[in-house]
Amino acid sequence: MALLGQQYSGNFDGGPAWWTSLNAILAIAQRRRVEEGVSTDNDVVWGYAANGLDTILDVLMRATQLMSVQALLVLAWFFLGTPNPQPSFMLVANAIRLAHSIGLHRKECGLSLSPIEKATRVNVFWFAFALDRELSLRTGRPPAQDFGDFQVDLPDPIAQQEFSTSSVTNTTFNVFYASSRLAIIQAKLYSKIPPSAQRHRMEV
């Protein structure tokens, strides 16, 4: 929210990762407005998406930081809601590689950070991992993140109430934590599929 306020201060340059993130979020929000019948201007959706895509090369080549990973993932989330999963698949794969370059897949790489920064890194990694596994199952293509090649604790469900929902029985369900656990199950299932069957899924 602080960055959003600075965006309209008149002298703020958040860099390519922020520009991509902002436009991806605006595209998602505008698409929701169209889906709910609040707006009929679908061209605005794709205008925001195009703006986000304009800076992708800079994000990949010049902005090696946590926000760069977040930017690619948010844009991938937008394309996940479109008929063509190809952009999402490519964006998530690049986000995973960028995450590797800043050590998101290694717990020891963030030992000197504050608790909030550590939690953010954990959240971003698991969001990337969950998207990677979901797209792998949807497309039949190999995931970018190998299941046995990371050391990151699961998100803390107690410390992240913003991801929780309450039912009529007053029980709390943490959506993000559950999706991370589901991604682990998906990864284990994928590891049990013989390579020949995986190739067959890709050819179908």
Side-chain angles (χ1 to χ4, degrees), residues 121-199:
R121 287 171 63 91
V122 169
N123 289 349
V124 172
F125 173 82
W126 281 106
F127 183 40
F129 185 82
L131 269 182
D132 186 35
R133 289 294 162 174
E134 177 66 23
L135 284 165
S136 176
L137 287 179
R138 288 192 185 193
T139 63
R141 299 174 183 176
Q145 175 63 59
D146 185 76
F147 183 52
D149 192 26
F150 67 89
Q151 297 172 334
V152 182
D153 294 333
L154 280 165
D156 185 353
I158 298 176
Q160 304 183 60
Q161 296 301 318
E162 65 270 24
F163 295 117
S164 300
T165 58
S166 298
S167 67
V168 291
T169 59
N170 292 323
T171 57
T172 300
F173 178 75
N174 189 289
V175 178
F176 185 56
Y177 178 78
S179 67
S180 301
R181 293 292 302 270
L182 176 61
I184 292 176
I185 295 172
Q186 291 172 327
K188 290 181 177 180
L189 287 174
Y190 183 87
S191 67
K192 300 297 183 182
I193 301 175
S196 58
Q198 294 174 13
R199 288 194 297 270

